[in-house]
mmCIF file with all atom_site columns, all heavy atoms in Angstrom:
data_model
loop_
_atom_site.group_PDB
_atom_site.id
_atom_site.type_symbol
_atom_site.label_atom_id
_atom_site.label_alt_id
_atom_site.label_comp_id
_atom_site.label_asym_id
_atom_site.label_entity_id
_atom_site.label_seq_id
_atom_site.pdbx_PDB_ins_code
_atom_site.Cartn_x
_atom_site.Cartn_y
_atom_site.Cartn_z
_atom_site.occupancy
_atom_site.B_iso_or_equiv
_atom_site.pdbx_formal_charge
_atom_site.auth_seq_id
_atom_site.auth_comp_id
_atom_site.auth_asym_id
_atom_site.auth_atom_id
_atom_site.pdbx_PDB_model_num
ATOM 1   N N   . MET A 1 1  ? 150.744 157.730 157.335 1.00 0.00 ? 1  MET A N   1
ATOM 2   C CA  . MET A 1 1  ? 149.537 157.136 156.770 1.00 0.00 ? 1  MET A CA  1
ATOM 3   C C   . MET A 1 1  ? 148.448 156.998 157.831 1.00 0.00 ? 1  MET A C   1
ATOM 4   O O   . MET A 1 1  ? 147.276 157.306 157.571 1.00 0.00 ? 1  MET A O   1
ATOM 5   C CB  . MET A 1 1  ? 149.844 155.768 156.163 1.00 0.00 ? 1  MET A CB  1
ATOM 6   C CG  . MET A 1 1  ? 148.632 155.093 155.527 1.00 0.00 ? 1  MET A CG  1
ATOM 7   S SD  . MET A 1 1  ? 149.068 153.679 154.479 1.00 0.00 ? 1  MET A SD  1
ATOM 8   C CE  . MET A 1 1  ? 149.929 152.633 155.656 1.00 0.00 ? 1  MET A CE  1
ATOM 9   N N   . ALA A 1 2  ? 148.816 156.553 159.028 1.00 0.00 ? 2  ALA A N   1
ATOM 10  C CA  . ALA A 1 2  ? 147.841 156.419 160.106 1.00 0.00 ? 2  ALA A CA  1
ATOM 11  C C   . ALA A 1 2  ? 147.250 157.777 160.491 1.00 0.00 ? 2  ALA A C   1
ATOM 12  O O   . ALA A 1 2  ? 146.035 157.918 160.670 1.00 0.00 ? 2  ALA A O   1
ATOM 13  C CB  . ALA A 1 2  ? 148.490 155.761 161.326 1.00 0.00 ? 2  ALA A CB  1
ATOM 14  N N   . ASP A 1 3  ? 148.097 158.793 160.570 1.00 0.00 ? 3  ASP A N   1
ATOM 15  C CA  . ASP A 1 3  ? 147.635 160.119 160.980 1.00 0.00 ? 3  ASP A CA  1
ATOM 16  C C   . ASP A 1 3  ? 146.863 160.839 159.873 1.00 0.00 ? 3  ASP A C   1
ATOM 17  O O   . ASP A 1 3  ? 146.163 161.822 160.149 1.00 0.00 ? 3  ASP A O   1
ATOM 18  C CB  . ASP A 1 3  ? 148.824 160.975 161.431 1.00 0.00 ? 3  ASP A CB  1
ATOM 19  C CG  . ASP A 1 3  ? 149.377 160.525 162.769 1.00 0.00 ? 3  ASP A CG  1
ATOM 20  O OD1 . ASP A 1 3  ? 148.686 159.755 163.466 1.00 0.00 ? 3  ASP A OD1 1
ATOM 21  O OD2 . ASP A 1 3  ? 150.507 160.923 163.113 1.00 0.00 ? 3  ASP A OD2 1
ATOM 22  N N   . SER A 1 4  ? 146.980 160.365 158.633 1.00 0.00 ? 4  SER A N   1
ATOM 23  C CA  . SER A 1 4  ? 146.213 160.983 157.547 1.00 0.00 ? 4  SER A CA  1
ATOM 24  C C   . SER A 1 4  ? 144.714 160.770 157.733 1.00 0.00 ? 4  SER A C   1
ATOM 25  O O   . SER A 1 4  ? 143.898 161.476 157.136 1.00 0.00 ? 4  SER A O   1
ATOM 26  C CB  . SER A 1 4  ? 146.658 160.426 156.194 1.00 0.00 ? 4  SER A CB  1
ATOM 27  O OG  . SER A 1 4  ? 146.220 159.090 156.008 1.00 0.00 ? 4  SER A OG  1
ATOM 28  N N   . HIS A 1 5  ? 144.347 159.814 158.589 1.00 0.00 ? 5  HIS A N   1
ATOM 29  C CA  . HIS A 1 5  ? 142.932 159.560 158.872 1.00 0.00 ? 5  HIS A CA  1
ATOM 30  C C   . HIS A 1 5  ? 142.430 160.356 160.067 1.00 0.00 ? 5  HIS A C   1
ATOM 31  O O   . HIS A 1 5  ? 141.228 160.361 160.347 1.00 0.00 ? 5  HIS A O   1
ATOM 32  C CB  . HIS A 1 5  ? 142.710 158.064 159.135 1.00 0.00 ? 5  HIS A CB  1
ATOM 33  C CG  . HIS A 1 5  ? 142.990 157.192 157.953 1.00 0.00 ? 5  HIS A CG  1
ATOM 34  N ND1 . HIS A 1 5  ? 142.121 157.046 156.907 1.00 0.00 ? 5  HIS A ND1 1
ATOM 35  C CD2 . HIS A 1 5  ? 144.072 156.448 157.644 1.00 0.00 ? 5  HIS A CD2 1
ATOM 36  C CE1 . HIS A 1 5  ? 142.634 156.233 156.001 1.00 0.00 ? 5  HIS A CE1 1
ATOM 37  N NE2 . HIS A 1 5  ? 143.817 155.861 156.420 1.00 0.00 ? 5  HIS A NE2 1
ATOM 38  N N   . THR A 1 6  ? 143.357 161.020 160.777 1.00 0.00 ? 6  THR A N   1
ATOM 39  C CA  . THR A 1 6  ? 142.946 161.748 161.989 1.00 0.00 ? 6  THR A CA  1
ATOM 40  C C   . THR A 1 6  ? 143.477 163.178 161.986 1.00 0.00 ? 6  THR A C   1
ATOM 41  O O   . THR A 1 6  ? 142.794 164.095 161.555 1.00 0.00 ? 6  THR A O   1
ATOM 42  C CB  . THR A 1 6  ? 143.449 160.996 163.241 1.00 0.00 ? 6  THR A CB  1
ATOM 43  O OG1 . THR A 1 6  ? 144.868 160.773 163.127 1.00 0.00 ? 6  THR A OG1 1
ATOM 44  C CG2 . THR A 1 6  ? 142.746 159.656 163.400 1.00 0.00 ? 6  THR A CG2 1
ATOM 45  N N   . THR A 1 7  ? 144.708 163.359 162.435 1.00 0.00 ? 7  THR A N   1
ATOM 46  C CA  . THR A 1 7  ? 145.234 164.711 162.654 1.00 0.00 ? 7  THR A CA  1
ATOM 47  C C   . THR A 1 7  ? 145.838 165.359 161.411 1.00 0.00 ? 7  THR A C   1
ATOM 48  O O   . THR A 1 7  ? 146.089 166.557 161.410 1.00 0.00 ? 7  THR A O   1
ATOM 49  C CB  . THR A 1 7  ? 146.318 164.684 163.757 1.00 0.00 ? 7  THR A CB  1
ATOM 50  O OG1 . THR A 1 7  ? 147.349 163.754 163.385 1.00 0.00 ? 7  THR A OG1 1
ATOM 51  C CG2 . THR A 1 7  ? 145.707 164.259 165.087 1.00 0.00 ? 7  THR A CG2 1
ATOM 52  N N   . LEU A 1 8  ? 146.084 164.571 160.357 1.00 0.00 ? 8  LEU A N   1
ATOM 53  C CA  . LEU A 1 8  ? 146.706 165.119 159.145 1.00 0.00 ? 8  LEU A CA  1
ATOM 54  C C   . LEU A 1 8  ? 145.866 164.789 157.902 1.00 0.00 ? 8  LEU A C   1
ATOM 55  O O   . LEU A 1 8  ? 146.346 164.116 156.978 1.00 0.00 ? 8  LEU A O   1
ATOM 56  C CB  . LEU A 1 8  ? 148.127 164.565 158.978 1.00 0.00 ? 8  LEU A CB  1
ATOM 57  C CG  . LEU A 1 8  ? 149.135 164.880 160.085 1.00 0.00 ? 8  LEU A CG  1
ATOM 58  C CD1 . LEU A 1 8  ? 150.429 164.117 159.852 1.00 0.00 ? 8  LEU A CD1 1
ATOM 59  C CD2 . LEU A 1 8  ? 149.396 166.386 160.165 1.00 0.00 ? 8  LEU A CD2 1
ATOM 60  N N   . PRO A 1 9  ? 144.618 165.266 157.862 1.00 0.00 ? 9  PRO A N   1
ATOM 61  C CA  . PRO A 1 9  ? 143.754 164.930 156.723 1.00 0.00 ? 9  PRO A CA  1
ATOM 62  C C   . PRO A 1 9  ? 144.274 165.455 155.386 1.00 0.00 ? 9  PRO A C   1
ATOM 63  O O   . PRO A 1 9  ? 143.901 164.948 154.332 1.00 0.00 ? 9  PRO A O   1
ATOM 64  C CB  . PRO A 1 9  ? 142.423 165.585 157.095 1.00 0.00 ? 9  PRO A CB  1
ATOM 65  C CG  . PRO A 1 9  ? 142.784 166.694 158.043 1.00 0.00 ? 9  PRO A CG  1
ATOM 66  C CD  . PRO A 1 9  ? 143.940 166.165 158.824 1.00 0.00 ? 9  PRO A CD  1
ATOM 67  N N   . GLN A 1 10 ? 145.155 166.472 155.432 1.00 0.00 ? 10 GLN A N   1
ATOM 68  C CA  . GLN A 1 10 ? 145.705 167.011 154.190 1.00 0.00 ? 10 GLN A CA  1
ATOM 69  C C   . GLN A 1 10 ? 146.576 165.992 153.447 1.00 0.00 ? 10 GLN A C   1
ATOM 70  O O   . GLN A 1 10 ? 146.831 166.144 152.246 1.00 0.00 ? 10 GLN A O   1
ATOM 71  C CB  . GLN A 1 10 ? 146.509 168.288 154.467 1.00 0.00 ? 10 GLN A CB  1
ATOM 72  C CG  . GLN A 1 10 ? 147.794 168.102 155.249 1.00 0.00 ? 10 GLN A CG  1
ATOM 73  C CD  . GLN A 1 10 ? 147.595 168.177 156.760 1.00 0.00 ? 10 GLN A CD  1
ATOM 74  O OE1 . GLN A 1 10 ? 146.525 167.863 157.277 1.00 0.00 ? 10 GLN A OE1 1
ATOM 75  N NE2 . GLN A 1 10 ? 148.633 168.598 157.475 1.00 0.00 ? 10 GLN A NE2 1
ATOM 76  N N   . LEU A 1 11 ? 147.025 164.958 154.162 1.00 0.00 ? 11 LEU A N   1
ATOM 77  C CA  . LEU A 1 11 ? 147.853 163.937 153.532 1.00 0.00 ? 11 LEU A CA  1
ATOM 78  C C   . LEU A 1 11 ? 147.023 162.791 152.944 1.00 0.00 ? 11 LEU A C   1
ATOM 79  O O   . LEU A 1 11 ? 147.551 161.955 152.207 1.00 0.00 ? 11 LEU A O   1
ATOM 80  C CB  . LEU A 1 11 ? 148.845 163.356 154.545 1.00 0.00 ? 11 LEU A CB  1
ATOM 81  C CG  . LEU A 1 11 ? 149.821 164.330 155.203 1.00 0.00 ? 11 LEU A CG  1
ATOM 82  C CD1 . LEU A 1 11 ? 150.761 163.568 156.127 1.00 0.00 ? 11 LEU A CD1 1
ATOM 83  C CD2 . LEU A 1 11 ? 150.615 165.108 154.163 1.00 0.00 ? 11 LEU A CD2 1
ATOM 84  N N   . ARG A 1 12 ? 145.754 162.768 153.281 1.00 0.00 ? 12 ARG A N   1
ATOM 85  C CA  . ARG A 1 12 ? 144.934 161.618 152.882 1.00 0.00 ? 12 ARG A CA  1
ATOM 86  C C   . ARG A 1 12 ? 144.875 161.409 151.363 1.00 0.00 ? 12 ARG A C   1
ATOM 87  O O   . ARG A 1 12 ? 144.965 160.252 150.904 1.00 0.00 ? 12 ARG A O   1
ATOM 88  C CB  . ARG A 1 12 ? 143.527 161.753 153.454 1.00 0.00 ? 12 ARG A CB  1
ATOM 89  C CG  . ARG A 1 12 ? 142.672 160.515 153.213 1.00 0.00 ? 12 ARG A CG  1
ATOM 90  C CD  . ARG A 1 12 ? 141.427 160.504 154.050 1.00 0.00 ? 12 ARG A CD  1
ATOM 91  N NE  . ARG A 1 12 ? 140.663 159.284 153.834 1.00 0.00 ? 12 ARG A NE  1
ATOM 92  C CZ  . ARG A 1 12 ? 139.582 158.957 154.518 1.00 0.00 ? 12 ARG A CZ  1
ATOM 93  N NH1 . ARG A 1 12 ? 139.154 159.754 155.482 1.00 0.00 ? 12 ARG A NH1 1
ATOM 94  N NH2 . ARG A 1 12 ? 138.946 157.840 154.247 1.00 0.00 ? 12 ARG A NH2 1
ATOM 95  N N   . PRO A 1 13 ? 144.725 162.455 150.545 1.00 0.00 ? 13 PRO A N   1
ATOM 96  C CA  . PRO A 1 13 ? 144.693 162.223 149.088 1.00 0.00 ? 13 PRO A CA  1
ATOM 97  C C   . PRO A 1 13 ? 145.935 161.513 148.563 1.00 0.00 ? 13 PRO A C   1
ATOM 98  O O   . PRO A 1 13 ? 145.846 160.690 147.653 1.00 0.00 ? 13 PRO A O   1
ATOM 99  C CB  . PRO A 1 13 ? 144.572 163.635 148.510 1.00 0.00 ? 13 PRO A CB  1
ATOM 100 C CG  . PRO A 1 13 ? 143.902 164.430 149.585 1.00 0.00 ? 13 PRO A CG  1
ATOM 101 C CD  . PRO A 1 13 ? 144.467 163.879 150.863 1.00 0.00 ? 13 PRO A CD  1
ATOM 102 N N   . THR A 1 14 ? 147.093 161.813 149.151 1.00 0.00 ? 14 THR A N   1
ATOM 103 C CA  . THR A 1 14 ? 148.324 161.159 148.709 1.00 0.00 ? 14 THR A CA  1
ATOM 104 C C   . THR A 1 14 ? 148.280 159.670 149.007 1.00 0.00 ? 14 THR A C   1
ATOM 105 O O   . THR A 1 14 ? 148.640 158.837 148.161 1.00 0.00 ? 14 THR A O   1
ATOM 106 C CB  . THR A 1 14 ? 149.545 161.778 149.408 1.00 0.00 ? 14 THR A CB  1
ATOM 107 O OG1 . THR A 1 14 ? 149.634 163.161 149.055 1.00 0.00 ? 14 THR A OG1 1
ATOM 108 C CG2 . THR A 1 14 ? 150.830 161.074 148.995 1.00 0.00 ? 14 THR A CG2 1
ATOM 109 N N   . PHE A 1 15 ? 147.822 159.312 150.201 1.00 0.00 ? 15 PHE A N   1
ATOM 110 C CA  . PHE A 1 15 ? 147.771 157.895 150.556 1.00 0.00 ? 15 PHE A CA  1
ATOM 111 C C   . PHE A 1 15 ? 146.650 157.163 149.818 1.00 0.00 ? 15 PHE A C   1
ATOM 112 O O   . PHE A 1 15 ? 146.781 155.975 149.507 1.00 0.00 ? 15 PHE A O   1
ATOM 113 C CB  . PHE A 1 15 ? 147.644 157.733 152.071 1.00 0.00 ? 15 PHE A CB  1
ATOM 114 C CG  . PHE A 1 15 ? 148.917 158.057 152.798 1.00 0.00 ? 15 PHE A CG  1
ATOM 115 C CD1 . PHE A 1 15 ? 149.055 159.232 153.511 1.00 0.00 ? 15 PHE A CD1 1
ATOM 116 C CD2 . PHE A 1 15 ? 150.000 157.199 152.730 1.00 0.00 ? 15 PHE A CD2 1
ATOM 117 C CE1 . PHE A 1 15 ? 150.236 159.542 154.163 1.00 0.00 ? 15 PHE A CE1 1
ATOM 118 C CE2 . PHE A 1 15 ? 151.191 157.498 153.378 1.00 0.00 ? 15 PHE A CE2 1
ATOM 119 C CZ  . PHE A 1 15 ? 151.308 158.669 154.095 1.00 0.00 ? 15 PHE A CZ  1
ATOM 120 N N   . GLU A 1 16 ? 145.564 157.855 149.527 1.00 0.00 ? 16 GLU A N   1
ATOM 121 C CA  . GLU A 1 16 ? 144.519 157.243 148.705 1.00 0.00 ? 16 GLU A CA  1
ATOM 122 C C   . GLU A 1 16 ? 145.067 156.927 147.318 1.00 0.00 ? 16 GLU A C   1
ATOM 123 O O   . GLU A 1 16 ? 144.777 155.865 146.750 1.00 0.00 ? 16 GLU A O   1
ATOM 124 C CB  . GLU A 1 16 ? 143.311 158.173 148.609 1.00 0.00 ? 16 GLU A CB  1
ATOM 125 C CG  . GLU A 1 16 ? 142.487 158.232 149.889 1.00 0.00 ? 16 GLU A CG  1
ATOM 126 C CD  . GLU A 1 16 ? 141.274 159.141 149.754 1.00 0.00 ? 16 GLU A CD  1
ATOM 127 O OE1 . GLU A 1 16 ? 141.185 159.873 148.746 1.00 0.00 ? 16 GLU A OE1 1
ATOM 128 O OE2 . GLU A 1 16 ? 140.418 159.116 150.656 1.00 0.00 ? 16 GLU A OE2 1
ATOM 129 N N   . ALA A 1 17 ? 145.873 157.848 146.782 1.00 0.00 ? 17 ALA A N   1
ATOM 130 C CA  . ALA A 1 17 ? 146.478 157.626 145.466 1.00 0.00 ? 17 ALA A CA  1
ATOM 131 C C   . ALA A 1 17 ? 147.437 156.436 145.505 1.00 0.00 ? 17 ALA A C   1
ATOM 132 O O   . ALA A 1 17 ? 147.506 155.644 144.558 1.00 0.00 ? 17 ALA A O   1
ATOM 133 C CB  . ALA A 1 17 ? 147.206 158.881 145.007 1.00 0.00 ? 17 ALA A CB  1
ATOM 134 N N   . ILE A 1 18 ? 148.178 156.277 146.605 1.00 0.00 ? 18 ILE A N   1
ATOM 135 C CA  . ILE A 1 18 ? 149.071 155.135 146.761 1.00 0.00 ? 18 ILE A CA  1
ATOM 136 C C   . ILE A 1 18 ? 148.272 153.840 146.736 1.00 0.00 ? 18 ILE A C   1
ATOM 137 O O   . ILE A 1 18 ? 148.640 152.862 146.056 1.00 0.00 ? 18 ILE A O   1
ATOM 138 C CB  . ILE A 1 18 ? 149.861 155.229 148.081 1.00 0.00 ? 18 ILE A CB  1
ATOM 139 C CG1 . ILE A 1 18 ? 150.839 156.392 148.032 1.00 0.00 ? 18 ILE A CG1 1
ATOM 140 C CG2 . ILE A 1 18 ? 150.608 153.928 148.366 1.00 0.00 ? 18 ILE A CG2 1
ATOM 141 C CD1 . ILE A 1 18 ? 151.476 156.697 149.369 1.00 0.00 ? 18 ILE A CD1 1
ATOM 142 N N   . ASN A 1 19 ? 147.154 153.814 147.474 1.00 0.00 ? 19 ASN A N   1
ATOM 143 C CA  . ASN A 1 19 ? 146.316 152.615 147.511 1.00 0.00 ? 19 ASN A CA  1
ATOM 144 C C   . ASN A 1 19 ? 145.776 152.274 146.129 1.00 0.00 ? 19 ASN A C   1
ATOM 145 O O   . ASN A 1 19 ? 145.764 151.107 145.726 1.00 0.00 ? 19 ASN A O   1
ATOM 146 C CB  . ASN A 1 19 ? 145.157 152.814 148.493 1.00 0.00 ? 19 ASN A CB  1
ATOM 147 C CG  . ASN A 1 19 ? 145.625 152.822 149.936 1.00 0.00 ? 19 ASN A CG  1
ATOM 148 O OD1 . ASN A 1 19 ? 146.673 152.283 150.261 1.00 0.00 ? 19 ASN A OD1 1
ATOM 149 N ND2 . ASN A 1 19 ? 144.842 153.442 150.804 1.00 0.00 ? 19 ASN A ND2 1
ATOM 150 N N   . VAL A 1 20 ? 145.330 153.289 145.416 1.00 0.00 ? 20 VAL A N   1
ATOM 151 C CA  . VAL A 1 20 ? 144.812 153.060 144.061 1.00 0.00 ? 20 VAL A CA  1
ATOM 152 C C   . VAL A 1 20 ? 145.901 152.471 143.169 1.00 0.00 ? 20 VAL A C   1
ATOM 153 O O   . VAL A 1 20 ? 145.664 151.518 142.412 1.00 0.00 ? 20 VAL A O   1
ATOM 154 C CB  . VAL A 1 20 ? 144.264 154.369 143.458 1.00 0.00 ? 20 VAL A CB  1
ATOM 155 C CG1 . VAL A 1 20 ? 143.965 154.187 141.970 1.00 0.00 ? 20 VAL A CG1 1
ATOM 156 C CG2 . VAL A 1 20 ? 143.001 154.808 144.190 1.00 0.00 ? 20 VAL A CG2 1
ATOM 157 N N   . ASN A 1 21 ? 147.106 153.022 143.258 1.00 0.00 ? 21 ASN A N   1
ATOM 158 C CA  . ASN A 1 21 ? 148.211 152.524 142.445 1.00 0.00 ? 21 ASN A CA  1
ATOM 159 C C   . ASN A 1 21 ? 148.563 151.082 142.787 1.00 0.00 ? 21 ASN A C   1
ATOM 160 O O   . ASN A 1 21 ? 148.837 150.263 141.897 1.00 0.00 ? 21 ASN A O   1
ATOM 161 C CB  . ASN A 1 21 ? 149.444 153.412 142.618 1.00 0.00 ? 21 ASN A CB  1
ATOM 162 C CG  . ASN A 1 21 ? 149.285 154.771 141.969 1.00 0.00 ? 21 ASN A CG  1
ATOM 163 O OD1 . ASN A 1 21 ? 148.445 154.959 141.098 1.00 0.00 ? 21 ASN A OD1 1
ATOM 164 N ND2 . ASN A 1 21 ? 150.077 155.735 142.400 1.00 0.00 ? 21 ASN A ND2 1
ATOM 165 N N   . LEU A 1 22 ? 148.557 150.765 144.081 1.00 0.00 ? 22 LEU A N   1
ATOM 166 C CA  . LEU A 1 22 ? 148.847 149.401 144.503 1.00 0.00 ? 22 LEU A CA  1
ATOM 167 C C   . LEU A 1 22 ? 147.791 148.427 143.991 1.00 0.00 ? 22 LEU A C   1
ATOM 168 O O   . LEU A 1 22 ? 148.119 147.378 143.418 1.00 0.00 ? 22 LEU A O   1
ATOM 169 C CB  . LEU A 1 22 ? 148.921 149.333 146.030 1.00 0.00 ? 22 LEU A CB  1
ATOM 170 C CG  . LEU A 1 22 ? 150.167 149.863 146.709 1.00 0.00 ? 22 LEU A CG  1
ATOM 171 C CD1 . LEU A 1 22 ? 149.992 149.867 148.215 1.00 0.00 ? 22 LEU A CD1 1
ATOM 172 C CD2 . LEU A 1 22 ? 151.384 149.035 146.330 1.00 0.00 ? 22 LEU A CD2 1
ATOM 173 N N   . LEU A 1 23 ? 146.535 148.774 144.208 1.00 0.00 ? 23 LEU A N   1
ATOM 174 C CA  . LEU A 1 23 ? 145.444 147.892 143.780 1.00 0.00 ? 23 LEU A CA  1
ATOM 175 C C   . LEU A 1 23 ? 145.450 147.696 142.269 1.00 0.00 ? 23 LEU A C   1
ATOM 176 O O   . LEU A 1 23 ? 145.231 146.589 141.771 1.00 0.00 ? 23 LEU A O   1
ATOM 177 C CB  . LEU A 1 23 ? 144.097 148.460 144.251 1.00 0.00 ? 23 LEU A CB  1
ATOM 178 C CG  . LEU A 1 23 ? 143.873 148.467 145.765 1.00 0.00 ? 23 LEU A CG  1
ATOM 179 C CD1 . LEU A 1 23 ? 142.654 149.314 146.126 1.00 0.00 ? 23 LEU A CD1 1
ATOM 180 C CD2 . LEU A 1 23 ? 143.702 147.046 146.293 1.00 0.00 ? 23 LEU A CD2 1
ATOM 181 N N   . THR A 1 24 ? 145.710 148.779 141.553 1.00 0.00 ? 24 THR A N   1
ATOM 182 C CA  . THR A 1 24 ? 145.759 148.705 140.092 1.00 0.00 ? 24 THR A CA  1
ATOM 183 C C   . THR A 1 24 ? 146.900 147.818 139.623 1.00 0.00 ? 24 THR A C   1
ATOM 184 O O   . THR A 1 24 ? 146.738 146.992 138.709 1.00 0.00 ? 24 THR A O   1
ATOM 185 C CB  . THR A 1 24 ? 145.906 150.112 139.482 1.00 0.00 ? 24 THR A CB  1
ATOM 186 O OG1 . THR A 1 24 ? 144.785 150.915 139.871 1.00 0.00 ? 24 THR A OG1 1
ATOM 187 C CG2 . THR A 1 24 ? 145.968 150.047 137.967 1.00 0.00 ? 24 THR A CG2 1
ATOM 188 N N   . ALA A 1 25 ? 148.073 147.965 140.240 1.00 0.00 ? 25 ALA A N   1
ATOM 189 C CA  . ALA A 1 25 ? 149.242 147.170 139.856 1.00 0.00 ? 25 ALA A CA  1
ATOM 190 C C   . ALA A 1 25 ? 149.010 145.690 140.126 1.00 0.00 ? 25 ALA A C   1
ATOM 191 O O   . ALA A 1 25 ? 149.384 144.829 139.315 1.00 0.00 ? 25 ALA A O   1
ATOM 192 C CB  . ALA A 1 25 ? 150.480 147.656 140.610 1.00 0.00 ? 25 ALA A CB  1
#
């Protein structure tokens, strides 16, 4: 998750979706 903001931007959509699901729940 930390690296999705820097060296692994391809993972960022997955973690954004996790955040949305958490906030929604």
